[in-house]
Amino acid sequence: MGGGQPQVVTTNTAPWKGQQKYLLKGFDMAEKMFNQVPDYYPGETVAGFDPLQTMAQEGAANYITGQRAGRQQQYAEQALLRGLSGQTGFTPQQTADLLAGNVRTGAGTPYQAMADALSGDVVNRLQGSILPGIRQQQVMYQPGGSSRAALEQDKAVTSAVKQGLTTPLAQMYSNAYQTAQGMRLPAAQQAINQQANAMGMYPSIMSAPLSMYGALGDIGAQRRALTQATMDADMARYQYQATAPQQALANYMNMIQGNYGGQSFQTSPGPSAMDQIGQAIGIAGSVAALASDRRIKNNIVPEGSKWKGLNVYSFNYIGDDTPRRGVMAQEAEVLYPHAVHEVGGIKFVDYGAI
């Protein structure tokens, strides 16, 4: 048996009245903000090169590609080559003598000058005192004649030369030779040191201007970083101001939030016709009398057949989609009025009475 008319139960819930106007205000503000596209930050976002950086870059580029660096490099390379060859402040001949331990005694040397000085001193002594003294002795004694005088003079000259010239020159030469031998190793070491110094000086000579430009660029980088930090602070301030309304709205909605409410629908079928009949006559839904009132049926379609003179139909009860077959109480009432009963305003047919 089918059910009766459906019953619809609707439950409505909504925010409490004191909350509603604030919610409406918040929704209105949100819609307005949604329709407003914020502008991009209008200021500069990346700091350019500081003037000192630009100056340092230009100076370094001009130095590297200019004539000054070329001349410095040329001079430095020449000095490097001289240093690498072991060149010192001595002439090549002097250097060779130092390395060989030679003592030069010829004209123009300090040794020859000293020899000349000693020779002059010997001559002066001979002429001034030694020889005149010998002649004086000869005049006074004359023991051996002229030959003895000559011997005395030769002896005196030999002694004077030995004491005043030969011995000092030999001693001076010996000292000079010993000194020269002692200078051989320092001279060689000096050449080696000169080579090392030249090799160490070359990079510093070439890089000195670049180091100054680098220091200048570092100062510019610090100033640029400060400029960028200022820009970042301005962008952060702009971002804060641009999003302040949205943040304020979010805070506003959080403060008034709650159960916004809603609406729900619940549909359930009403009591079927048989339930109504059973309630009216105190019987269950399995009684022989079936509800056959046309008014509680849907999709009534004649099958073209008859049962005991009554048309047979296919149908379903309102609120119940189960397909059924049977007769109409209004038609049965005409032929079998004793088999049709009405309970609660609904006609049903007692099939056992037909």
Side-chain angles (χ1 to χ4, degrees):
M1 292 300 174
Q5 294 291 337
Q7 295 180 348
V8 178
V9 179
T10 301
T11 302
N12 293 314
T13 58
W16 52 285
K17 283 189 176 182
Q19 186 186 35
Q20 292 179 4
K21 62 178 181 179
Y22 298 105
L23 290 174
L24 293 175
K25 178 181 177 181
F27 297 151
D28 182 62
M29 292 170 57
E31 183 178 5
K32 291 179 180 178
M33 291 181 188
F34 178 79
N35 294 327
Q36 291 177 353
V37 179
D39 296 330
Y40 187 74
Y41 177 69
E44 297 291 335
T45 57
V46 178
F49 287 120
D50 184 85
L52 290 182
Q53 286 182 299
T54 303
M55 185 184 304
Q57 292 168 353
E58 293 176 352
N62 293 335
Y63 168 72
I64 294 172
T65 59
Q67 296 180 355
R68 177 186 174 190
R71 290 194 299 269
Q72 284 184 330
Q73 185 173 10
Q74 179 182 359
Y75 297 152
E77 289 176 351
Q78 292 174 356
L80 177 64
L81 293 176
R82 291 193 297 269
L84 292 176
S85 65
Q87 183 173 346
T88 63
F90 298 108
T91 64
Q93 185 60 52
Q94 290 174 326
T95 302
D97 288 339
L98 286 172
L99 294 176
N102 295 332
V103 178
R104 291 190 170 273
T105 60
T109 65
Y111 184 88
Q112 183 62 47
M114 183 60 69
D116 292 343
L118 292 173
S119 296
D121 181 68
V122 170
V123 171
N124 289 335
R125 288 174 60 192
L126 287 173
Q127 293 176 351
S129 61
I130 296 175
L131 293 179
I134 293 174
R135 283 192 297 269
Q136 181 65 31
Q137 291 176 1
Q138 289 176 350
V139 171
M140 291 178 62
Y141 298 104
Q142 295 287 331
S146 61
S147 59
R148 183 174 177 80
L151 290 173
E152 290 294 332
Q153 288 181 357
D154 290 341
K155 182 179 178 181
V157 170
T158 301
S159 177
V161 169
K162 180 179 179 180
Q163 294 177 2
L165 183 62
T166 304
T167 300
L169 285 178
Q171 186 63 43
M172 182 176 65
Y173 183 85
S174 175
N175 293 338
Y177 180 79
Q178 294 297 327
T179 302
Q181 292 300 313
M183 294 179 61
R184 293 178 66 186
L185 181 59
Q189 187 64 45
Q190 184 180 26
I192 295 174
N193 293 339
Q194 185 67 17
Q195 293 174 351
N197 291 336
M199 294 179 64
M201 291 173 60
Y202 178 74
S204 61
I205 292 174
M206 295 302 299
S207 62
L210 295 177
S211 299
M212 296 301 296
Y213 287 129
L216 184 63
D218 292 340
I219 297 174
Q222 295 173 358
R223 294 171 55 172
R224 181 186 183 189
L226 179 60
T227 302
Q228 184 64 57
T230 302
M231 289 184 177
D232 293 342
D234 291 340
M235 288 188 288
R237 186 181 303 107
Y238 176 84
Q239 181 68 17
Y240 171 79
Q241 294 173 347
T243 59
Q246 288 86 346
Q247 186 62 44
L249 175 60
N251 295 335
Y252 175 84
M253 297 301 291
N254 286 333
M255 287 186 291
I256 64 171
Q257 69 178 345
N259 184 8
Y260 293 170
Q263 189 176 56
S264 62
F265 298 92
Q266 180 180 0
T267 302
S268 59
S272 64
M274 185 56 64
D275 292 336
Q276 296 178 11
I277 296 171
Q279 295 171 2
I281 62 175
I283 59 174
S286 59
V287 296
L290 298 177
S292 298
D293 198 315
R294 180 184 292 270
R295 295 172 297 176
I296 62 172
K297 297 178 180 180
N298 265 339
N299 303 318
I300 302 173
V301 177
E303 292 186 356
S305 62
K306 289 183 178 294
W307 176 72
K308 295 185 179 182
L310 298 175
N311 294 319
V312 178
Y313 299 87
S314 61
F315 62 90
N316 59 272
Y317 291 112
I318 296 175
D320 182 4
D321 295 333
T322 303
R324 301 181 183 276
R325 299 176 65 244
V327 298
M328 298 298 158
Q330 283 77 2
E331 296 181 357
E333 188 177 22
V334 175
L335 297 179
Y336 308 99
H338 63 281
V340 177
H341 306 278
E342 185 172 337
V343 179
I346 298 175
K347 297 181 182 294
F348 65 93
V349 176
D350 183 359
Y351 285 84
I354 298 178

